Amino acid sequence: MGPAGGAIPAPRAGPGNVFVMESDTLFSLGEPAGAQRAPADAGGVADFATVEADSPLPVRMRPASLDELVGQGHLLAPGAPLRQLVGGGAPMSVILWGPPGTGKTTIAHLVAQATDRTFVAMSALNAGVKDVRAVIETARRQRRSGGAQTVLFIDEVHRFSKTQQDSLLAAVEDRTVTLLAATTENPYFSVISPLLSRCVLLTLQPLDDDAVRGLLRRAVADRRGLGGALTLAAEAEEHLVRLAGGDVRKALTALEAAAASAEALGAGVIDLATAEQAVDVAAVRYDRDGDAHYDVTSAFIKSMRGSDVDAALHWLARMLVAGEDARFIARRLVIFASEDVGMADPTALSVATAAAHAVEYVGLPEVQLNLAQAVIHLATAPKSNSATTAIGAAIADVRAGRGGPVPRGLRDAHYAGARGLGHGTGYRYPHDDQRGVVTQQYAPDDLVGADYYRPSGHGAERSVAARLPVLRRIVRGLPAPPARPEPVAPLARPEPAAPGSGRRSPDAENASSAEDGGTDAAREAQQ
């Protein structure tokens, strides 16, 4: 049924039958040449419009064949599911999972133009169960009459509710339709398990810099693109590659904007300044695989360690603008929280872990707020590397061969016969003591008394530093340290008497007292 409730007419059988669900999305999916338009009342979504001369550059530059697809070599082996799907082989349903601009929609176009099956496209942005059922019913009637197999392409399938996804199950199961679904979200979380189990999952990887660079050069030279009317300077090309971050649609859109700016200026070359002005993003000197990547990351970590929050935020911004993987940044924050903050602020690890979760749950660009909050917390927190040095010392001892067998009292005593072996004998349960800690050997014999953890006096670790000696003394059965005598305050030194005052000076009085004391002592000795 269409949006107005009208039935969707059965499509005509034959090669290249493409039916389009009218779209209000922000990008055009394009339509292969010679494809048929859907009836006007065939409600739905994604617009497979015919490619025109003024279509956006990413649409004009879509590969015309599977061999032109770049960056997904792991899916293009002979006999691979993707080749079978595009070539019209075994009618298997497929879910395409990958970040934006990696070729999911391009693959849908290739399927539409390379097979003799009827192709219907819709987007989960605004399609409903009624639209899906109408397509399935039409496909079922066509199949019963001996017509062509129907391929149903659903873009953004993760936006379908559970009920909407359920409506696909029977048709996918009996191959009334061959489902081709695209998603940028992890399908293990966003697609119901029954539907996922009925499909082949193909994971598309972000394009590397070389692949994006090659596609930019193709667009500059190809008649479908700029047709060689302009040249792209090397620095501008590198800027567009960095800006894309593996998203070829983003790179081509930026190239088109830069080309329009160069033509308006009457220039024959797209230089760096033109590219920057066109996309309103300054070029960032940052190579995710080169020295700049490691240098900026090092400066980022060292700024947080040095408690310079402003410098740390600058390096964070540098990485974000350059297109650094937010997951990489989050991992560094989680490591830093234990490596450099540690017990001085135990909440730092929770903050960093929450930021890492936000990267997966929220995504860019909004997650930059969560990352900034975590960086501010870590940079301004008190610092301690005691956890780092403690585990390092413990690992060094283990690698050096220190550490005997597990003490008998600590061994597992839950299985039959363990007691007969003496396992658990002599074990003292700490909770039976009112202090919650008892004297007991926990370390192997040759490591008794080894101190790995040495707390600092910073932040929250100050209280741990005060408590730890008491815990070690009780556990190891050591005597309590002798009580320290109360310190005696020094006597105030009297001011000397003014000359000519007639009063004896304090020094003279002290000397006289010393002499008197010495005389008295001598007198007592004589007696």
Side-chain angles (χ1 to χ4, degrees):
M1 302 290 287
I8 301 178
R12 294 195 303 271
N17 287 334
V18 178
F19 287 81
V20 182
M21 312 302 276
E22 294 302 323
S23 174
D24 60 357
T25 53
L26 297 179
F27 62 90
S28 171
L29 301 180
E31 178 184 45
Q36 299 175 15
R37 295 288 299 173
D41 60 346
V45 280
D47 182 11
F48 269 64
T50 302
V51 178
E52 304 288 353
D54 59 349
S55 293
L57 183 60
V59 174
R60 304 199 309 269
M61 289 306 302
R62 282 208 173 97
S65 68
L66 196 58
D67 293 332
E68 289 188 8
L69 190 66
V70 174
Q72 308 301 336
H74 62 294
L75 301 179
L76 300 178
L82 182 56
R83 284 200 176 273
Q84 294 184 44
L85 180 66
V86 173
M92 61 183 66
S93 292
V94 170
I95 294 178
L96 302 172
W97 171 33
T102 52
K104 298 183 297 298
T105 305
T106 293
I107 291 172
H109 277 268
L110 295 175
V111 172
Q113 68 185 8
T115 73
D116 59 356
R117 291 170 287 185
T118 299
F119 188 92
V120 180
M122 63 171 56
S123 170
L125 288 170
N126 49 12
V129 172
K130 184 165 56 176
D131 302 305
V132 173
R133 288 176 177 169
V135 172
I136 292 173
E137 182 58 31
T138 301
R140 182 172 288 114
R141 291 198 305 266
Q142 178 170 307
R143 186 181 183 188
R144 289 171 180 170
S145 64
Q149 179 78 19
T150 298
V151 176
L152 173 59
F153 173 59
I154 301 180
D155 197 22
E156 305 287 343
V157 70
H158 60 273
R159 296 181 181 271
F160 264 175
S161 67
K162 183 179 183 298
T163 300
Q164 290 171 311
Q165 294 184 36
D166 281 336
S167 67
L168 293 165
L169 292 178
V172 173
E173 177 74 24
D174 63 14
R175 291 185 174 175
T176 297
V177 298
T178 298
L179 177 65
L180 176 60
T183 178
T184 57
E185 302 291 334
N186 189 332
Y188 291 103
F189 298 107
S190 59
V191 177
I192 59 174
S193 297
L195 182 58
L196 191 60
S197 67
R198 289 164 168 80
C199 300
V200 175
L201 177 62
L202 302 182
T203 304
L204 280 71
Q205 302 296 335
L207 274 66
D208 60 25
D209 289 350
D210 287 339
V212 175
R213 188 178 295 108
L215 290 172
L216 284 172
R217 293 175 181 177
R218 180 191 297 178
V220 170
D222 197 289
R223 61 180 181 80
R224 294 174 296 171
L226 305 185
L230 298 170
T231 58
L232 182 62
E235 287 188 348
E237 180 182 272
E238 290 305 312
H239 174 50
L240 296 180
V241 170
R242 287 194 300 268
L243 180 67
D247 183 341
V248 68
R249 183 189 295 117
K250 186 175 182 179
L252 294 176
T253 300
L255 173 63
E256 185 174 31
S261 296
E263 289 177 349
L265 296 172
V269 178
I270 304 173
D271 58 15
L272 177 60
T274 304
E276 288 177 346
Q277 183 179 8
V279 296
D280 196 26
V281 176
V284 179
R285 308 302 177 189
Y286 189 88
D287 177 5
R288 287 184 292 171
D289 295 320
D291 292 340
H293 164 79
Y294 297 103
D295 290 343
V296 171
T297 302
S298 176
F300 176 56
I301 297 298
K302 290 173 180 175
S303 297
M304 289 193 294
R305 181 181 297 142
S307 300
D308 190 334
V309 62
D310 305 294
L313 286 170
H314 166 79
W315 298 120
L316 172 64
R318 179 86 72 93
M319 289 189 285
L320 290 173
V321 171
E324 180 59 81
D325 188 344
R327 294 170 298 180
F328 167 79
I329 300 173
R331 287 194 296 269
R332 296 306 312 173
L333 295 180
V334 173
I335 295 168
F336 182 90
S338 292
E339 182 180 18
D340 288 289
V341 177
M343 292 297 293
D345 180 2
T347 66
L349 182 57
S350 298
V351 171
T353 304
H357 173 68
V359 169
E360 302 294 338
Y361 184 71
V362 178
L364 289 168
E366 292 84 355
V367 80
Q368 65 190 11
L369 304 175
N370 307 108
L371 292 173
Q373 179 181 346
V375 167
I376 292 170
H377 186 114
L378 297 176
T380 58
K383 306 296 191 295
S384 171
N385 70 341
S386 59
T388 303
T389 57
I391 189 60
I395 289 175
D397 272 352
V398 171
R399 288 177 174 169
R402 299 187 65 190
V406 176
R408 192 176 300 274
L410 303 186
R411 298 180 188 179
D412 181 17
H414 289 84
Y415 61 90
R419 292 291 180 181
L421 297 174
H423 292 190
T425 302
Y427 175 69
R428 301 181 63 192
Y429 191 54
H431 295 292
D432 289 340
D433 190 286
Q434 62 180 359
R435 300 169 300 181
V437 59
V438 296
T439 298
Q440 188 159 237
Q441 180 181 334
Y442 294 99
D445 290 341
D446 58 345
L447 288 177
V448 171
D451 293 347
Y452 295 127
Y453 176 48
R454 301 179 183 276
S456 71
H458 303 159
E461 201 168 22
R462 187 180 299 112
S463 63
V464 179
R467 185 168 66 252
L468 183 59
V470 179
L471 294 174
R472 283 175 172 162
R473 177 175 57 80
I474 296 173
V475 169
R476 298 170 183 177
L478 303 176
R484 294 183 180 180
E486 292 293 331
V488 179
L491 297 176
R493 182 180 179 89
E495 296 181 1
S501 63
R503 181 167 63 85
R504 299 178 65 185
S505 70
D507 291 339
E509 291 179 356
N510 292 339
S512 176
S513 299
E515 291 172 359
D516 292 343
T519 302
D520 291 341
R523 188 178 298 115
E524 291 175 0
Q526 292 175 357
Q527 295 175 352

